[in-house]
Amino acid sequence: MRILNWILLLFIAVLGSATELKDELVTRNDTYIIGPIPVTDVLCTENDLVEDDIMEARWTLFNWGKSHRVPPKTVKVQVIRHAMWYQCNCKLWFSDPISSDELRHAQDLIFSKCGQFRSGHVWSKRWEKMYALLPLKAIVHMQKPSDLCPKGCAYSITM
């Protein structure tokens, strides 16, 4: 019983400090080991965003996910004013849920590495999934939905 309590306390301590880690995240086999998403990479795209737009877009994307799943090889995009949250499902055969915990964790990782209310994305190679937060202006020069996701990931878009 003591060992289980110690492990639980260690787990809580690690999770509690996850948003403070920035570049010091420990990796194993190209995957971050902290939090609900097995993260391969967190990249910053250097854009400032409006807090209300970010939160409303995230909430709306999660709400959509309560009754839908992101089809295989598809990107689900949610735009609110000038902020865009989206999830790329790179799997060939399986639909993906949109989890509130995953969205929050992705946001925490982006803000921790890129700065509060700044844009970026979180890629999980293990899950073949990417969460991204970008300004709406980022899609102006994109020619197809697949430009939002890693190469070969998505071929269709759901708005």
Side-chain angles (χ1 to χ4, degrees), residues 90-153:
C90 305
K91 294 172 193 67
L92 186 58
W93 302 108
F94 299 102
S95 295
D96 247 342
I98 296 179
S99 159
S100 176
D101 290 341
E102 290 175 20
L103 277 168
R104 255 190 241 112
H105 185 235
Q107 179 176 291
D108 289 346
L109 289 169
I110 292 168
F111 288 175
S112 177
K113 183 168 183 175
C114 306
Q116 193 78 348
F117 313 124
R118 306 252 332 177
S119 62
H121 72 255
V122 175
W123 165 244
S124 175
K125 183 177 181 179
R126 185 182 300 167
W127 283 0
E128 298 180 86
K129 177 190 279 193
M130 185 174 88
Y131 285 105
L133 172 61
L134 293 176
L136 182 59
K137 68 182 181 181
I139 62 171
V140 171
H141 301 292
M142 294 183 182
Q143 298 177 356
K144 52 194 178 297
S146 60
D147 291 343
L148 291 170
C149 302
K151 187 175 181 178
C153 171

Side-chain angles (χ1 to χ4, degrees), residues 3-139:
I3 293 173
L4 288 176
N5 288 339
W6 182 83
I7 291 171
L8 180 60
L9 287 174
L10 179 63
F11 182 72
I12 291 169
V14 168
L15 282 180
S17 63
T19 58
E20 303 167 6
L21 287 176
K22 298 195 185 238
D23 294 328
E24 296 85 29
L25 289 174
V26 177
T27 62
R28 294 240 176 14
N29 298 326
D30 297 326
T31 301
Y32 295 113
I33 58 171
I34 297 173
I37 304 170
V39 177
T40 305
D41 207 359
V42 179
L43 292 177
C44 303
T45 54
E46 308 295 323
N47 293 284
D48 292 314
L49 299 164
V50 176
E51 178 182 10
D52 290 342
D53 296 355
I54 293 168
M55 300 309 171
E56 190 174 341
R58 190 187 79 197
W59 180 85
T60 306
L61 180 60
F62 168 67
N63 250 3
W64 179 88
K66 286 181 181 178
S67 56
H68 301 85
R69 293 173 68 90
V70 182
K73 296 292 186 183
T74 300
V75 56
K76 167 57 182 157
V77 176
Q78 186 60 59
V79 176
I80 298 292
R81 291 176 288 281
H82 300 286
M84 174 174 63
W85 263 109
Y86 64 91
Q87 177 186 314
C88 298
N89 178 9
C90 305
K91 294 172 193 67
L92 186 58
W93 302 108
F94 299 102
S95 295
D96 247 342
I98 296 179
S99 159
S100 176
D101 290 341
E102 290 175 20
L103 277 168
R104 255 190 241 112
H105 185 235
Q107 179 176 291
D108 289 346
L109 289 169
I110 292 168
F111 288 175
S112 177
K113 183 168 183 175
C114 306
Q116 193 78 348
F117 313 124
R118 306 252 332 177
S119 62
H121 72 255
V122 175
W123 165 244
S124 175
K125 183 177 181 179
R126 185 182 300 167
W127 283 0
E128 298 180 86
K129 177 190 279 193
M130 185 174 88
Y131 285 105
L133 172 61
L134 293 176
L136 182 59
K137 68 182 181 181
I139 62 171

